[in-house]
Amino acid sequence: MEGISLEELQLAARNHGMPLEALRYPVTPIGLHYLLIHYDVPAVDPEAWRLTVRGERELVLSLDDLRARPAAEVTVTMECAGNGRARLDPRPVSQPWLLEAVGTARWRGTPLRPLLEEAGVRSGAVEVLCTGLDRGVEGGEPEQAFRRSVPLDEALRDETLLAYEMNGEPLPPQHGFPLRLVVPGWYGMTNVKWLERIELVDTPFAGYQNAWSYRLRQAEDEEGVPLNRMQPRSLLAPPGVPEFMTRERMVAAGEVLLEGRAWSGLAPVESVEVSTDGGETWSTAELESDGEPWAWRGWSYRWDAQPGEHVLCCRARDAAGNEQPREPAWNLGGYANNAVQTVPATVT
């Protein structure tokens, strides 16, 4: 975290992560859910606001129109693609996330698929382009709205939602009021906030947020690989009490219940392992029973803590065989770093 620029400090001041102690909540309280805002929070008059959906036909819908449509609710773990960026060396210059850019919320809204079908899905359509009301300048580009596209098959999933509520409350301004996209399993940038327009397009979107940003590349002249679904990750809720400056954990000897949560956007979490010796040996944690398919899964492990210095680790594996690596894979944007978490602990 050394050498943080003024720009990064300004980014960190407007965005915030979820304290890892909040892993104890199955659903993250709204004020603790991670937040990343690219530009500004737009001021929206809910009475005047309209959503335009363009396919073979054009639909123009008010917030009341959307609320009158069939509703659905889905509990989703959402993680920023840059989570873990500050742990890379050299550290890419951007929002300096450690491990806290994640949260789980209950999103309520209306499914996207019926709206697209009502607008008419052309035979040549390949993506659904979503445009937000937030505007700004980024990457040397002219002023732009935040725009991201989603492959058509992902947009047509039953659980892809246009959300107007979060945790049973009207969508807060900072989380995209009056409407945001929720694509379960995908990194957070896909879930466009402050929606104003949705359109079916016949060629892949080549705007900044798709063609340049959110791609895995080693150098600026590479095309890179686009980010999509979240890689598997497990996080440990910090045990014991913290030392003020270092945040190292101080734990009393004896049986200690280690707890955390794990998720993957690629497949259901199948197992979590815990190490108390820095990854030299591993033990299997106990998983909570399956719950919501797109939400994190709780785990626990009873540790017989002996006096001395320890390094606690946890790693997740999903049903498709994807497992967290011990070391991070560096890339230019600092994306998708799902390396195993390490927590130094002193047992007294």
Side-chain angles (χ1 to χ4, degrees):
M1 294 293 288
E2 294 181 0
I4 294 179
S5 67
L6 175 60
E7 290 79 6
E8 289 176 302
L9 286 173
Q10 291 171 331
L11 274 173
R14 65 185 291 106
N15 303 320
H16 70 78
M18 180 199 74
L20 293 187
E21 296 91 325
L23 287 165
R24 298 187 175 95
Y25 297 103
V27 173
T28 311
I30 291 175
L32 297 181
H33 195 287
Y34 100 92
L35 183 66
L36 178 69
I37 298 171
H38 278 81
Y39 306 136
D40 284 341
V41 177
V44 182
D45 178 355
E47 298 299 323
W49 174 89
R50 296 292 185 270
L51 174 71
T52 300
V53 182
R54 292 175 181 163
E56 293 182 320
R57 296 169 292 280
E58 181 174 286
L59 308 178
V60 179
L61 302 151
S62 69
L63 187 56
D64 286 341
D65 293 334
L66 291 163
R67 286 183 170 275
R69 299 179 70 91
E73 188 171 85
V74 60
T75 303
V76 176
T77 294
M78 191 180 295
E79 180 183 19
C80 182
N83 200 17
R85 177 183 288 121
R87 293 178 174 266
L88 296 178
D89 186 19
R91 181 175 55 78
V93 177
S94 189
Q95 172 72 32
W97 294 124
L98 290 168
L99 296 171
E100 68 279 16
V102 66
T104 295
R106 295 193 314 273
W107 304 98
R108 183 174 177 82
T110 192
L112 176 58
R113 178 174 184 156
L115 276 170
L116 295 177
E117 292 174 340
E118 190 174 324
V121 179
R122 298 186 299 273
S123 60
V126 296
E127 290 183 345
V128 174
L129 176 59
C130 298
T131 301
L133 286 165
D134 49 328
R135 301 185 62 85
V137 177
E138 189 174 359
E141 297 288 314
E143 182 180 314
Q144 59 183 316
F146 186 86
R147 308 177 82 194
R148 284 278 305 180
S149 65
V150 181
L152 181 59
D153 57 347
E154 294 291 332
L156 293 176
R157 288 163 49 194
D158 290 339
E159 60 269 28
T160 298
L161 204 64
L162 299 179
Y164 45 71
E165 289 184 9
M166 181 182 185
N167 291 0
E169 301 290 339
L171 198 61
Q174 70 272 27
H175 283 284
F177 177 83
L179 194 73
R180 76 175 297 169
L181 179 68
V182 175
V183 185
W186 282 57
Y187 280 115
M189 76 288 179
T190 309
N191 303 268
V192 178
K193 300 189 284 290
W194 308 294
L195 276 173
E196 70 163 343
R197 188 165 66 253
I198 298 172
E199 52 194 307
L200 289 145
V201 294
D202 298 336
T203 57
F205 175 56
Y208 179 81
Q209 299 297 342
N210 273 69
W212 172 254
S213 190
Y214 296 110
R215 301 179 77 91
L216 294 172
R217 52 165 63 87
Q218 298 298 307
E220 292 193 10
D221 59 355
E222 291 182 14
E223 179 180 354
V225 178
L227 288 162
N228 43 56
R229 290 176 177 265
M230 298 181 296
Q231 295 295 309
R233 189 193 290 277
S234 175
L235 290 179
L236 168 69
V241 296
E243 196 281 329
F244 174 58
M245 292 299 294
T246 67
R247 310 306 289 175
E248 181 174 325
R249 309 309 295 189
M250 313 299 292
V251 180
E255 185 178 275
V256 177
L257 182 64
L258 301 179
E259 297 179 285
R261 299 196 184 272
W263 64 93
S264 172
L266 302 170
V269 170
E270 190 170 68
S271 66
V272 172
E273 294 179 304
V274 175
S275 174
T276 60
D277 55 13
E280 294 296 321
T281 61
W282 295 88
S283 300
T284 301
E286 181 178 347
L287 286 175
E288 289 182 357
S289 58
D290 288 338
E292 298 282 347
W294 299 107
W296 53 25
R297 192 172 180 185
W299 59 264
S300 61
Y301 176 75
R302 296 189 179 278
W303 173 34
D304 181 16
Q306 299 298 312
E309 304 297 321
H310 300 265
V311 177
L312 310 178
C313 310
C314 56
R315 67 183 179 191
R317 181 185 294 110
D318 67 27
N322 303 293
E323 183 178 275
Q324 290 182 255
R326 289 290 304 278
E327 300 297 330
W330 191 90
N331 62 86
L332 190 66
Y335 296 128
N337 173 15
N338 67 327
V340 167
Q341 176 192 19
T342 58
V343 180
T346 299
V347 178
T348 59

